[in-house]
Amino acid sequence: MEATNQKTGLLKELEQRIRRAEHPRELVVDVMLALQEQYGYLSDDALEEAARLLGMSLLELEELASFYDFIYRRPVGRFVIRVCDSVVCWLEEGEKLGEHLEARLGIRMGETTPDGLFTLLPVCCIGYCDMAPAMLVNRRVYGNLNQEKIDKILEELRTGDERKGLPR
Amino acid sequence: MPQIVIDGRSIEVASGTKVIEAAQQLGIYIPRLCYHPALGSAGACRLCAVSFLEGPVRGLLMSCMVEAKEGMVVSTQHPDALQFRKQIMEWLMMNHPHDCPVCDEGGHCVLQEMTVAGGHSMRRFPGSKRTYEDQDLGPFVQHEMNRCIHCWRCRRFYQEYSGYKDMGVMGLASRTYFGRAVPGPLESPFAGNLIDICPTGVFTDKPSRFKARRWECQRAPSLCIHCCLGCSIVVNSRYREVLRIEAGHNPEVNGHFICDRGRYGFDYVNHPSRPRWPLVEGRACSWQEALAYAGGRLREIIEKHGPSSAAVVGSSRASLESLGALRLFCEKHAVSGPFLWMETQELKCVRRLLQGQELFVSMKQVEEADTILVVGLDPVQEAPMLALALRQAWRKGGWVGVVDPRGVELPFCFSHWVVHPREMGMALEYLAGKPKSPYEGFDDQGFLKAWRQALARGKRPVMACGTLLAKADFMGACLELAHFLRKEKGCGGLFPVLRGANSLGAVAVSGSEASGLEELLEAIERGELKALVLVETDPLFSFWGKARLKEGFKGLELILVMDYLPSGVSKQASVVMPCKSLFESSCLFVNNEGRLQEATAVHHGGIPISQMLEEANPPRTFGTEIPGGGTCAGWEALAKLSEAMGESLGFSDLPGLRNVLRQRFGWLREVRPGQRILALEPEGGKRWEEIFHSQKEEGQGALSLLLVQATFGTEELSSYSRHSCKMEAGPMGFLHPETAACLGLKQGDLVRLGWEQGELEFLLETKENMHKELLVVQAHRLLDWDKAGRPPEVVNSGQLEKII
């Protein structure tokens, strides 16, 4: 019941924002992100909802949704770990950290752990070259990484200390 | 005007010209995959690299991205450029499957040509190829995404050029995918162009899949006759079967593209029941026998009952030669006709429009206009390519205003003034600034003011008008407004949309006493007619008088049909003479702007081999003639008939006929194919005011009935095509949602409209942007015209009932 209320509340809010906008299309990414927040990922239903709200075709939404890295068209884990896959991090042996994460979590890049806790994704430069090698967990940055540090972060994410303040 | 040197040759080009175009003007073809003259540059494929030796930029650059500037010296054959292009080809082939032998594009594939030209033959890259899942995109377009090289032509055409939003590009990098969000038929009526513009085999022609290589086909330029615009096409035929239509390039008319009705309507020429030999009373016989019989009977009837007891009927889908021969035949034998029009009203509309023919403009000029009024016209349904031209004008910043009672939809933003049919004339008078207009002083929230302002702002106005709503003062008001715009702006034109491919040709050969089929029907019912010669026409297709005609036919002594269609009327005929379609004999058509255009014969024609295989392969009967190839062009059959009656029409072959026509019709004398006829002279014609039915009194809650066309399903020729029938939506009727609600109807209901003389059944769709006092019904081939008499102009709510 609460979830339904929350959803209709969100839809109302989005409809209002779209009504106020001079060019509703400008809000397309915001709308998709808001719906993603609601559903955990941008499901087919959510995509249709966004198309309806903005008066755009399903394809136009899909064109954008499938282009942007931070919009998930498939379910992701509680923590989305994005390992920087760009040149400065490579210089600091970032690739090895990716492999380490894969080994620790027992999944490959692009996969989610069976317990639904972690999703591992490579990402283009996230702008933390000064802290290379770096990664993002949901919206928090972790820099100057090494294997020990990563093990510690994973442990904390698992046990809960690190969970607080980690919005999706 | 910069001067530029390419490969040692100098040329002056308009500023803004890209180097790739400048080279083309010199006859130098720079390889390209993503550049297309209609779509412009994308810089996506990197194949058009050339070396800039002198001038403002130096080095290796993409010739589609660089504008020609004064002093540039360019080499297309520089070793750097050659090496670069060679490398690009190898990269493009890295992911491209080696399936040319089973790919339908093989043989006319740009990628294949470039690969061979670049000398790439051995694969060096050891990795695996990227693969995709394909989608079902409907009956016309076959999808094979693995072959994609990401040139973006399809999306640029589909979304930017033609304005439809259900096909595009998803994903990024090596996952880039061109297709729909979910599999399903492409919604655009221009989707077939994807096949032409895709430089490789991602989008190929589905109906002709696995049938032939292009080099195996007989190919010739021809004309599309599925509406009045006369777009250029290229026809591919193999083994006596027309397999595929491609868009022809005609800069004045259709540019590079055609619509899907034009692309897939051709299949009527392959119809298995097409008449292939003469039939007398249902029995196959030789031409000699059929001519002797029909000629003899006709002469007897004329001698016994007088010449006016025989009538000749044609239509606006017939070639100018056939129409001309019909007129000559009538004059020679003094028989009635030719009746070339379903409705007298339509003939008079076209005649009236001709009075403004000095204002007529080409579709190219419509594209270049900045203010366009579309009145009484639903472009996507009636003449689809016009919608594409209007969109191009809109893309350049043009303003489009539609005055129409229907729920018109166009692939761009336009202003829609929803006016009841009876008020159309008044609305146009208001726009022409008539001070006494009832709209003067009345304005709905400044809506009309914006229209007047847009018209005042426009420098190159064009008015496109249809003939469907021709009522009372409408046509006259159209002309008046067009003349008003011309006077105000010093330029501006009129783009008429007519119903038949050769409507203007038909009006030009019609005599001053010409009339529509209603009068013929009445003559039949009065028993005055004994013989009927029908050439390339089928009044039973969608004529409201179908049931009465069929009844009237019983009293006739001779019905002679000359046609290439297995038409309804040929089943009623005592003599059938098989005709050549326009793919089988060269012929002339006059399009809606008065342009004389020639269609060249593609093949001789005959029963397609694919249809003879059931019999035996190879055939067991031997002969020197092409099976089913003994057909005549309509004019040829008429000439032979006339000779069988003892009088020659004065010609024996096509050049002879054209000479006779040039002498007979002054307007044809100076014009060559491709040129506009500047002064079509219709003979006579009554005053405009007399010609329309009086407006009936309308009761409370009455709805005006409009019978309209649809992109698929209402046009005669394409309704015999297996391909385009797959895209028909079935007979649809339209109401405003509020009107529907008042009547207790809703979207998706099957509805019956009944009146004293008949009934029609259709599926109801509601449209927000149509007039509330209106019922719109598609004049669909699947409507049961056997049950329908003349549809009423006004419908009361009691006449509509829900069936399911």
Side-chain angles (χ1 to χ4, degrees), chain B residues 182 257 382 517 522 744:
Chain B
V182 285
F257 306 112
E382 294 178 37
L517 279 186
E522 280 161 21

Side-chain angles (χ1 to χ4, degrees), chain A residues 25 47 56-60 62-64 66-69 73, chain B residues 155 159 165-172 175 179-182:
Chain A
R25 271 169 179 270
L47 198 72
M56 292 165 72
S57 76
L58 195 59
L59 174 99
E60 286 177 289
E62 186 77 284
E63 285 188 328
L64 293 164
S66 58
F67 181 83
Y68 286 112
D69 272 355
R73 286 287 280 116
Chain B
R155 191 202 184 262
Q159 291 201 17
K165 305 285 182 201
D166 63 309
M167 183 265 158
V169 56
M170 291 159 284
L172 72 167
R175 293 194 313 277
R180 281 170 49 88
V182 285

Side-chain angles (χ1 to χ4, degrees), chain B residues 265-331:
Chain B
F266 69 87
D267 194 44
Y268 65 92
V269 297
N270 302 328
H271 201 286
S273 328
R274 208 185 128 174
R276 297 288 182 184
W277 35 78
L279 295 171
V280 172
E281 308 294 355
R283 185 179 54 82
C285 64
S286 69
W287 271 93
Q288 261 176 328
E289 195 183 327
L291 284 166
Y293 175 81
R297 291 285 293 128
L298 208 51
R299 208 175 44 205
E300 273 171 39
I301 290 166
I302 289 173
E303 276 164 11
K304 194 169 154 198
H305 302 283
S308 60
S309 64
V312 180
V313 187
S315 76
S316 52
R317 70 169 153 94
S319 67
L320 194 59
E321 288 88 349
S322 291
L323 292 171
L326 276 165
R327 185 75 201 275
L328 297 176
F329 186 90
C330 285
E331 286 170 356

Side-chain angles (χ1 to χ4, degrees), chain A residues 33 35-43 65 68-82 107-122 136-139 166-168:
Chain A
L33 283 173
L35 289 168
Q36 173 166 291
E37 197 105 343
Q38 179 78 31
Y39 290 93
Y41 73 106
L42 195 68
S43 62
Y68 286 112
D69 272 355
F70 282 70
I71 289 171
Y72 313 124
R73 286 287 280 116
R74 273 182 272 168
V76 288
R78 171 73 181 83
F79 304 107
V80 180
I81 303 176
R82 300 169 162 274
I107 53 172
R108 310 267 306 272
M109 285 286 171
E111 292 178 350
T112 302
T113 50
D115 59 4
L117 215 49
F118 297 103
T119 296
L120 200 53
L121 294 171
L136 276 172
V137 179
N138 291 1
R139 289 180 194 169
L166 258 188
R168 277 181 191 274

Side-chain angles (χ1 to χ4, degrees), chain B residues 503-757:
Chain B
S503 283
L504 282 191
V507 80
V509 302
S510 290
S512 56
E513 295 306 311
S515 67
L517 279 186
E518 314 93 312
E519 294 194 16
L520 182 77
L521 179 59
E522 280 161 21
I524 293 175
E525 285 177 342
R526 283 196 303 269
E528 290 166 11
L529 271 180
K530 299 292 171 205
L532 212 50
V533 181
L534 300 121
V535 184
E536 296 176 27
T537 182
D538 181 11
L540 298 184
F541 177 71
S542 67
F543 182 50
W544 49 264
K546 182 172 173 177
R548 281 167 65 192
L549 257 186
K550 270 186 162 173
E551 190 58 34
F553 281 166
K554 290 177 188 161
L556 295 181
E557 291 176 25
L558 176 74
I559 302 174
L560 166 59
V561 171
M562 300 173 174
D563 205 350
Y564 45 80
L565 289 181
S567 61
V569 75
S570 67
K571 294 183 182 74
Q572 312 280 322
S574 34
V575 183
V576 176
M577 295 185 183
C579 282
K580 286 187 189 300
S581 73
L582 90 160
F583 300 143
E584 290 138 31
S585 69
S586 294
C587 51
L588 296 166
F589 279 80
V590 184
N591 80 350
N592 64 319
E593 34 134 1
R595 193 178 298 276
L596 185 72
Q597 301 197 102
E598 183 169 20
T600 347
V602 181
H603 61 175
H604 181 280
I607 301 173
I609 288 189
S610 62
Q611 290 173 21
M612 299 183 69
L613 294 181
E614 286 169 18
E615 205 177 295
N617 182 29
R620 295 288 186 262
T621 44
F622 296 96
T624 53
E625 274 161 21
I626 294 170
T631 49
C632 285
W635 55 267
E636 208 178 345
L638 269 174
K640 286 181 177 173
L641 178 69
S642 184
E643 265 163 43
M645 293 166 70
E647 300 253 23
S648 165
L649 288 185
F651 59 87
S652 56
D653 55 3
L654 190 63
L657 169 61
R658 286 185 182 171
N659 269 335
V660 171
L661 293 181
R662 271 191 210 102
Q663 281 156 22
R664 175 69 183 72
F665 301 107
W667 47 266
L668 193 57
R669 213 158 287 156
E670 302 295 323
V671 199
R672 306 198 66 75
Q675 291 177 337
R676 293 265 309 275
I677 301 170
L678 294 175
L680 272 174
E681 286 159 33
E683 293 171 36
K686 294 169 196 162
R687 286 285 300 154
W688 180 248
E689 285 77 9
E690 300 165 25
I691 60 182
F692 291 102
H693 316 293
S694 56
Q695 206 70 43
K696 278 188 190 161
E697 275 298 305
E698 291 172 29
Q700 193 68 26
L703 305 172
S704 290
L705 172 67
L706 271 189
L707 281 176
V708 300
Q709 295 184 42
T711 315
F712 298 104
T714 61
E715 190 266 330
E716 184 182 3
L717 296 175
S718 60
S719 71
Y720 288 89
S721 165
R722 287 165 297 179
H723 313 318
S724 45
C725 286
K726 291 180 188 153
M727 281 301 272
E728 283 174 9
M732 305 286 287
F734 305 94
L735 281 175
H736 191 277
E738 285 177 25
T739 316
C742 285
L743 295 167
L745 301 171
K746 60 176 191 312
Q747 173 122 352
D749 284 353
L750 185 64
V751 173
R752 179 189 292 133
L753 165 67
W755 67 100
E756 60 271 30
Q757 298 164 3

